[in-house]
Amino acid sequence: MRYVSPNLRLLFSPPLRPTLSVPLFISKPNPKPFSFSTILASSSSKRPRSFSNLSRRSNSTFKDRKGGGRDMTMEETTGQSKDSSSSFGLNKRRAEGRDKSDRPKKNPQLKERKLNPTNTIAYVQILGTGMDTQDTSPSVLLFFDKQRFIFNAGEGLQRFCTEHKVKLSKIDHIFLSRVCSETAGGLPGLLLTLAGMGEEGYSVKIWGPSDLNFLVGAMKSFIPHATMVHTQSFGQSPISDAAENVTAPIKASDPIVLVKDEVVKISAILLQPHCLQQSQIKPGEMSVLYICELPELMGKFDPKKAAALGLKAGPKYSELQHGKSVKSDRLDIMVHPADVMDPPVPGPIVILVDCPTESHLQELLSIECLNGYYTDVSSHLTESTKMVNCVIHLSPASVVSSPNYQKWMKKFGSAQHIMAGHGKKTLEVPILKSSARVTSRLNYLCPQFFPASGFLSLQHLNYSTSDDISSSEGPTLKICESIPAENLLKFTLRPYAQLGLDRSHIPTPMGQSQVVDELHLEIPEIADAAQHVREFWQELKESREVLPTSNDNGVMIEEPWLTEDTLPGCLENIRRDDLEIVLLGTGSSQPSKYRNVSSVYINLFSKGSLLLDCGEGTLGQLKRRYGVDGADKAIRNLKCVWISHIHADHHTGLARVLALRRGLLKGVPHEPLLVIGPRQLKRYLDAYQRLEDLDMQFLDCRSTTKASWDTFVRDGASNNDGSSPQSPRHSNAKNESMQEINQTLFAKGSRMQSYLWQPGSPVDHSAAYPFLKSLKKMLGEAGLEALISFPVVHCPQAFGIVLEAAERVNSVGKVIPGWKIVYSGDTRPCPELVDACRGATVLIHEATFEDGLVDEAIARNHSTTKEAIEVGNSAGAYRIVLTHFSQRYPKIPVFDETHMHKTCIAFDMMSINIADLPVLPKVLPYLKLLFRNEVAVDESDDILDALVL
């Protein structure tokens, strides 16, 4: 037996294991009294926040918690599993799409501001640029005392602002420099968050070129129209009229004034590809240059000049300072403001330019209305010439480095140029420092499940400023003076005395060694713990030679803790390059500081990969895990994306992933990517493709249920004569098959009928046939035997998924069963899920709430930690991975250790290799040690800090 230090022996002593199984389904919530022993950080000297504080967000929803949820719109439904009779609580109205309690308010209001013309503070600031956002446009904040403006809202904006406490609720306007997934990927989530705030909800005014209409039209498929009533496009309007359109200019390059008040004037100049007629411009090709002009400041009043002109100190001084002329007290003259005031101070000017291609650059160089802003020696300066103080370039490095662009930059004379187009210098800097710090700590403790982040491999590189915009013309070209953008870099506009760059808010670099040193000081015994974790893998290697494997074709027994030394048959002689499960996002509802929203990456290595759900920021998470090049490779190798349901936290990262894949495979022979999801998702993707080609084909989840696959197989078997399944010969057979399906699982009156079919019409299996054929081929190439969707209880058309690997034959000819992964999506415990989980190698189950919040879990059709574990235990799953945690559990959730003998808690970037499954539950107590000093804090506090006034 290996040595365990005294510091660790007590902490890691195994908990008592249950001798009897507990009921799987709960018909009436009966939470246990709160006890500090249920908090994971019980070994900490710090006391966790009380239960009342942990659940205070839910108190506003459930006024009478003691009454077992009497105020909730909740019904209970009874279902029969295959081998038992059980009842479970659920919110039937929510499952059927009739629960409107969580929907945004009918008419979210624009915030009314009392403007401050003097504006003692004003600046522009870079939000979110770094190696993990290489394919998302940085956002730029224009800040005033009483107003906020944001330019571009790419994926991750909410999460970045939450971490750095940028108050999104004070944003009045969002301007898009282009309309695409790169610049607007974070917009749906931001709108939904703002709309759900306060009594009436909030909204912002969204501005963009005419392409904005296509985006608004697409978002209507899952975002209520009321949250988008304040969208305005400009330029020549396309066919769609989803957004209110501002009058188009006479010439496309003429400025369009969007905002003009006593604080700022914001104008837009449209950039289109050179030499293209308006009718030839495709959606997504229009770009925008924004000019932000602050009003001039009056000069300083000089009392000596006033006295010399015969004025006495008094009210006339004030009148002169407000621009009024007065009569001298001692002389027979009129005194004008110019006689006693210093010359006015010109208002600062900031230009934001997004010039995506060389063709746009040709148009940019020909824009005449910019001549009044050029101040270099070659320009014809006049009294009306305006001096630009700062130019922020969102243009890509390939365009910025061109000689013509460099010459154009020089026309602005002494203006400060900030290059925000993903320069190389930002590659080594993660934008989410808190999350990166947690990942580094996890990596130190258990590098097998928490590999080093992709960006760490780049930190030894040093880039100079010139590397960011190196010229293809060689060293002879003189590069215009500029600096690379950095997170939270400011350019101060007021007070005027501080005009210029402000680096004081830029986060300090953080290295792995610094994180580890801090960890050793905070938890001295962590070094011993890390050594013990490493020894698990040595023990695993030795145990593989003696541990028996089950001979039941991979079906687990109901009480696996009685024979835990038995490995499932599918793990016999398993290879590390067979399967890796990467938890990219493990939080719920909206991105937060430590957890992104739902996404699971199924890495099949040389056989490709799949994505199960694709919440906002999934692409950024891939980059954090694998690095820029590794993430690009992962996107190229995707075989399929599967989406569980239409809620925004599960699919709003999909458009960015699809758009990047299209770009990476441009010019390379390939098939469109298959996207499997609920019917509502198809409406969104079809509408979005009017804006941006996603290079995908869609298959309804209902076409991949077991009943649908059986129909497909029967049709294939009866199609040996070569006729098409759409031919009249097979139409009657198909109708009979569909009738058989409707009479079983989804028959009228069955418990799952309403949850699966509302809203939407019956699925057309004849139309799905070619896609199922392609899917079957893809599964074979990926070494998979089956991909089966099954209905779950959450919202209309919500699904879980089963992935089964094909059998394999070892070196002596023995047939080894394939592994089985089940992903629950969002759901209450239900018989369909239990049936799907039988014999699962890994069950990935949502555990949104702790055990004491059963009533809230029922009302929202989610699961508690204990319920998720009971589902896995009842079905005999070998390992259970819990995910989709509420924001009230920022780093590690609350759970009862006595039920965790084959379970582990998921973290973002957690990578579970199938060969390491026997070790998985053993790591959990050490994770508890790692977070022992963390107070259980509702992370919604941080989110509200970034949102609420």
Side-chain angles (χ1 to χ4, degrees):
M1 178 182 295
R2 56 187 170 86
Y3 170 74
V4 180
S5 68
N7 288 337
L8 295 173
R9 181 172 289 121
L10 180 60
L11 180 63
F12 297 140
S13 58
L16 294 176
R17 289 175 180 165
T19 57
L20 295 175
S21 59
V22 293
L24 174 60
F25 298 118
I26 302 172
S27 60
K28 183 176 181 180
N30 184 23
K32 297 179 181 178
F34 175 76
S35 169
F36 285 115
S37 64
T38 62
I39 301 293
L40 182 61
S42 58
S43 59
S44 171
S45 59
K46 298 181 180 180
R47 294 180 68 84
R49 183 177 296 188
S50 68
F51 177 78
S52 61
N53 285 335
L54 276 172
S55 59
R56 59 184 168 78
R57 278 193 81 193
S58 60
N59 287 342
S60 61
T61 305
F62 307 108
K63 299 177 181 178
D64 190 1
R65 186 172 297 280
K66 292 182 180 179
R70 285 192 298 266
D71 289 344
M72 293 181 290
T73 308
M74 186 186 77
E75 300 178 29
E76 292 186 0
T77 299
T78 301
Q80 301 291 327
S81 60
K82 288 184 178 181
D83 55 0
S84 66
S85 176
S86 305
S87 63
F88 60 95
L90 61 91
N91 184 343
K92 185 176 180 181
R93 293 179 63 86
R94 187 180 184 89
E96 295 175 344
R98 296 185 291 118
D99 182 2
K100 301 180 180 181
S101 60
D102 281 347
R103 293 186 181 180
K105 314 303 186 297
K106 290 184 177 179
N107 187 20
Q109 299 298 308
L110 286 172
K111 297 167 284 296
E112 295 184 3
R113 308 289 189 194
K114 184 177 180 180
L115 302 183
N116 177 17
T118 59
N119 275 303
T120 56
I121 299 176
Y123 56 81
V124 287
Q125 187 172 34
I126 305 297
L127 304 181
T129 180
M131 72 77 54
D132 42 6
T133 57
Q134 286 296 292
D135 289 281
T136 295
S137 173
S139 296
V140 178
L141 171 67
L142 176 58
F143 178 98
F144 296 99
D145 290 343
K146 300 293 184 180
Q147 279 186 301
R148 311 284 192 275
F149 304 88
I150 276 188
F151 296 85
N152 289 345
E155 291 185 29
L157 174 62
Q158 259 194 99
R159 198 176 182 197
F160 180 88
C161 291
T162 298
E163 169 145 347
H164 297 287
K165 300 189 183 303
V166 177
K167 295 185 181 297
L168 287 172
S169 66
K170 291 193 174 183
I171 302 301
D172 298 286
H173 300 264
I174 295 177
F175 300 90
L176 301 180
S177 64
R178 282 177 289 129
V179 184
C180 59
S181 57
E182 180 182 349
T183 60
L187 200 55
L190 178 58
L191 288 175
L192 287 171
T193 298
L194 291 173
M197 291 169 47
E199 294 297 326
E200 297 296 332
Y202 292 113
S203 185
V204 295
K205 185 166 285 188
I206 304 170
W207 302 84
S210 55
D211 304 337
L212 178 61
N213 294 282
F214 294 113
L215 178 62
V216 172
M219 290 193 299
K220 283 182 178 179
S221 62
F222 66 94
I223 296 181
H225 175 66
T227 65
M228 297 184 290
V229 296
H230 304 295
T231 55
Q232 289 189 298
S233 65
F234 46 85
Q236 183 169 334
S237 179
I239 298 175
S240 172
D241 58 355
E244 182 181 346
N245 191 266
V246 177
T247 303
I250 298 175
K251 292 174 60 178
S253 59
D254 286 347
I256 308 167
V257 178
L258 306 179
V259 175
K260 186 176 183 181
D261 54 34
E262 58 266 44
V263 172
V264 67
K265 173 185 174 183
I266 300 180
S267 305
I269 299 176
L270 292 171
L271 290 179
Q272 60 188 41
H274 188 60
C275 295
L276 286 182
Q277 300 294 326
Q278 187 71 32
S279 60
Q280 296 177 305
I281 298 176
K282 299 178 182 178
E285 290 185 339
M286 191 70 73
S287 183
V288 185
L289 180 148
Y290 289 103
I291 303 175
C292 308
E293 303 177 67
L294 278 63
E296 66 179 19
L297 291 177
M298 294 186 65
K300 187 176 180 181
F301 178 79
D302 190 340
K304 293 182 179 180
K305 291 182 179 180
L309 294 173
L311 285 173
K312 298 178 182 179
K316 291 184 178 180
Y317 279 19
S318 178
E319 293 182 42
L320 286 166
Q321 292 180 62
H322 284 85
K324 297 180 180 179
S325 299
V326 298
K327 184 174 177 60
S328 172
D329 295 317
R330 297 188 178 95
L331 302 175
D332 188 19
I333 60 173
M334 292 295 294
V335 181
H336 305 286
D339 299 330
V340 295
M341 304 285 292
D342 290 341
V345 179
I349 299 176
V350 178
I351 292 180
L352 294 94
V353 57
D354 187 351
C355 184
T357 68
E358 289 279 353
S359 182
H360 288 82
L361 176 56
Q362 296 180 49
E363 183 72 12
L364 176 63
L365 298 175
S366 65
I367 294 178
E368 297 178 359
C369 65
L370 287 176
N371 292 337
Y373 299 91
Y374 297 148
T375 56
D376 67 322
V377 293
S378 62
S379 301
H380 301 288
L381 301 181
T382 65
E383 291 185 1
S384 61
T385 298
K386 301 177 180 179
M387 178 174 291
V388 176
N389 302 91
C390 180
V391 183
I392 299 176
H393 301 267
L394 303 174
S395 312
S398 59
V399 174
V400 170
S401 62
S402 69
N404 286 335
Y405 197 96
Q406 290 291 311
K407 292 176 182 178
W408 178 78
M409 289 171 61
K410 292 180 180 180
K411 291 185 177 183
F412 293 101
S414 61
Q416 176 65 64
H417 294 274
I418 300 177
M419 317 308 294
H422 303 306
K424 291 182 180 179
K425 186 174 181 179
T426 61
L427 285 177
E428 58 189 274
V429 183
I431 71 167
L432 301 172
K433 189 174 179 179
S434 297
S435 176
R437 180 175 175 272
V438 169
T439 301
S440 295
R441 290 163 67 101
L442 289 166
N443 169 252
Y444 173 78
L445 176 65
C446 183
Q448 294 84 357
F449 286 139
F450 303 97
S453 297
F455 73 87
L456 291 177
S457 61
L458 301 168
Q459 288 190 344
H460 66 282
L461 302 176
N462 293 314
Y463 297 101
S464 64
T465 301
S466 60
D467 289 332
D468 291 294
I469 51 174
S470 58
S471 170
S472 58
E473 298 294 316
T476 58
L477 176 68
K478 181 175 176 59
I479 301 297
C480 183
E481 292 297 326
S482 60
I483 64 166
E486 297 181 73
N487 288 318
L488 302 182
L489 173 68
K490 286 183 180 180
F491 188 92
T492 301
L493 304 174
R494 286 184 180 152
Y496 184 78
Q498 300 176 16
L499 184 71
L501 292 170
D502 177 3
R503 299 177 177 272
S504 62
H505 294 83
I506 297 175
T508 55
M510 176 190 63
Q512 176 82 350
S513 60
Q514 178 185 350
V515 174
V516 172
D517 290 344
E518 292 176 354
L519 182 58
H520 283 159
L521 290 175
E522 179 185 335
I523 309 175
E525 58 268 42
I526 198 66
D528 285 343
Q531 177 60 34
H532 295 155
V533 170
R534 286 192 291 271
E535 291 174 2
F536 287 147
W537 270 261
Q538 180 61 33
E539 294 176 356
L540 177 63
K541 181 179 179 181
E542 296 171 356
S543 67
R544 289 189 188 280
E545 302 174 2
V546 297
L547 285 182
T549 57
S550 61
N551 56 1
D552 56 357
N553 293 324
V555 178
M556 300 294 100
I557 59 177
E558 294 292 330
E559 289 79 26
W561 53 80
L562 298 179
T563 56
E564 283 187 342
D565 288 339
T566 300
L567 287 176
C570 63
L571 296 185
E572 182 179 347
N573 298 327
I574 197 72
R575 294 168 54 97
R576 297 194 66 84
D577 61 356
D578 192 21
L579 168 67
E580 181 183 53
I581 303 170
V582 183
L583 286 303
L584 296 175
T586 58
S588 66
S589 182
Q590 58 199 43
S592 57
K593 185 188 295 186
Y594 298 104
R595 295 183 184 272
N596 202 54
V597 287
S598 297
S599 184
V600 181
Y601 178 67
I602 304 297
N603 185 6
L604 302 174
F605 297 93
S606 61
K607 297 178 182 179
S609 59
L610 295 85
L611 271 176
L612 310 182
D613 280 334
C614 190
E616 177 187 337
T618 293
L619 178 58
Q621 293 290 84
L622 279 171
K623 291 179 182 296
R624 294 177 190 107
R625 170 63 181 86
Y626 293 108
V628 177
D629 294 337
D632 288 349
K633 181 179 179 182
I635 296 299
R636 287 191 193 95
N637 293 337
L638 274 178
K639 297 290 188 180
C640 171
V641 178
W642 181 91
I643 304 297
S644 62
H645 61 289
I646 195 60
H647 287 168
D649 58 325
H650 290 258
H651 74 83
T652 49
L654 180 57
R656 188 73 208 111
V657 167
L658 294 175
L660 175 61
R661 179 182 180 273
R662 180 205 66 221
L664 292 172
L665 295 178
K666 187 176 182 180
V668 178
H670 66 279
E671 294 293 328
L673 185 64
L674 182 62
V675 175
I676 304 173
R679 181 181 179 86
Q680 306 101 308
L681 181 65
K682 184 179 189 301
R683 290 199 293 268
Y684 166 65
L685 294 174
D686 287 347
Y688 188 92
Q689 288 204 105
R690 299 179 63 191
L691 172 66
E692 189 174 14
D693 179 24
L694 298 179
D695 191 24
M696 50 76 65
Q697 52 189 7
F698 186 84
L699 184 61
D700 196 316
C701 278
R702 295 175 295 178
S703 295
T704 60
T705 61
K706 188 177 187 304
S708 296
W709 276 114
D710 291 343
T711 301
F712 171 78
V713 171
R714 286 197 297 271
D715 288 342
S718 62
N719 197 27
N720 292 330
D721 59 355
S723 61
S724 167
Q726 287 83 14
S727 65
R729 176 178 299 187
H730 296 282
S731 59
N732 291 334
K734 279 189 174 292
N735 291 334
E736 293 172 1
S737 298
M738 281 305 303
Q739 185 176 1
E740 180 181 340
I741 294 172
N742 287 331
Q743 288 175 349
T744 55
L745 181 60
F746 312 124
K748 183 177 180 181
S750 73
R751 60 183 177 270
M752 297 307 297
Q753 190 267 344
S754 61
Y755 312 145
L756 180 69
W757 293 99
Q758 293 181 0
S761 58
V763 63
D764 183 357
H765 285 269
S766 61
Y769 187 89
F771 299 122
L772 285 171
K773 191 174 181 180
S774 298
L775 175 58
K776 190 69 175 177
K777 178 183 177 184
M778 180 276 291
L779 293 175
E781 294 172 349
L784 299 177
E785 181 69 24
L787 182 158
I788 300 172
S789 302
F790 57 91
V792 294
V793 179
H794 180 59
C795 67
Q797 297 190 58
F799 294 87
I801 185 175
V802 176
L803 290 175
E804 295 185 23
E807 295 178 341
R808 49 196 172 90
V809 180
N810 66 9
S811 57
V812 296
K814 179 181 178 180
V815 177
I816 300 175
W819 46 258
K820 177 179 179 180
I821 296 175
V822 179
Y823 172 52
S824 70
D826 286 6
T827 184
R828 288 290 297 148
C830 60
E832 283 68 26
L833 176 58
V834 176
D835 290 344
C837 292
R838 297 198 184 281
T841 314
V842 181
L843 166 61
I844 306 170
H845 199 300
E846 72 117 296
T848 309
F849 297 107
E850 63 182 279
D851 298 342
L853 299 179
V854 176
D855 53 356
E856 188 163 349
I858 292 173
R860 298 178 182 274
N861 280 343
H862 284 296
S863 300
T864 66
T865 300
K866 184 177 180 181
E867 288 173 332
I869 295 171
E870 288 170 352
V871 168
N873 285 340
S874 174
Y878 176 62
R879 290 292 180 256
I880 305 168
V881 178
L882 303 182
T883 186
H884 197 268
F885 302 112
S886 167
Q887 298 158 1
R888 54 171 54 88
Y889 318 117
K891 294 182 181 178
I892 192 165
V894 177
F895 60 88
D896 184 349
E897 264 191 281
T898 59
H899 303 294
M900 305 295 285
H901 54 277
K902 62 179 183 180
T903 304
C904 197
I905 299 298
F907 294 84
D908 282 17
M909 307 301 149
M910 189 176 190
S911 302
I912 305 171
N913 193 287
I914 190 170
D916 298 331
L917 287 178
V919 177
L920 187 62
K922 299 180 181 180
V923 176
L924 185 60
Y926 296 85
L927 297 177
K928 173 183 175 180
L929 171 67
L930 187 65
F931 294 103
R932 72 177 187 184
N933 294 332
E934 303 294 341
V935 180
V937 177
D938 189 343
E939 190 173 339
S940 60
D941 290 347
D942 292 325
I943 294 174
L944 291 175
D945 282 343
L947 292 172
V948 178
L949 290 168

